[in-house]
Amino acid sequence: YTVSYLSSHEGECDFIAQRLGSKNLAVQEWSGEGKVPQREWDGLELGAKQTHAQGLLLTYKHTTEKSQKYQVKTIEEWLKEPKS
């Protein structure tokens, strides 16, 4: 993987992960509690759109928030997934 940070006048996305032969992955990390702030969703949207990526919002704690466009997982859930 190549991992980078996306920053523009429109906002920022924490990580853009790229691997030859795979779809890009835009990752936004949020460590707060309660409702995920809109700026986090906006950053994920920006990263996914600008890099033609799938999106993933990673949280430290479980959240009940869902997204029809992007995956929402705790870091622990994501790390336990089988990797190809």
Side-chain angles (χ1 to χ4, degrees), residues 14-44:
D14 294 335
F15 304 100
I16 303 297
Q18 299 169 301
R19 183 170 74 174
L20 191 61
S22 296
K23 186 156 178 77
N24 294 340
L25 181 63
V27 181
Q28 194 74 358
E29 175 276 326
W30 183 64
S31 59
E33 293 185 30
K35 186 171 174 55
V36 177
Q38 187 60 44
R39 71 175 183 277
E40 303 296 344
W41 293 112
D42 293 346
L44 184 57

Side-chain angles (χ1 to χ4, degrees), residues 6 16 18 23-26 46-54:
L6 175 70
I16 303 297
Q18 299 169 301
K23 186 156 178 77
N24 294 340
L25 181 63
L46 176 69
K49 281 186 174 181
Q50 285 197 3
T51 63
H52 308 287
Q54 295 175 331

Side-chain angles (χ1 to χ4, degrees), residues 41-79:
W41 293 112
D42 293 346
L44 184 57
E45 180 80 15
L46 176 69
K49 281 186 174 181
Q50 285 197 3
T51 63
H52 308 287
Q54 295 175 331
L56 173 63
L57 178 72
L58 290 177
T59 63
Y60 281 94
K61 297 180 180 181
H62 180 74
T63 179
T64 57
E65 287 199 56
K66 304 286 183 214
S67 169
Q68 292 183 356
K69 291 173 116 177
Y70 306 116
Q71 296 180 50
V72 179
K73 298 180 180 184
T74 64
I75 293 172
E76 182 179 3
E77 290 169 337
W78 182 67
L79 289 172

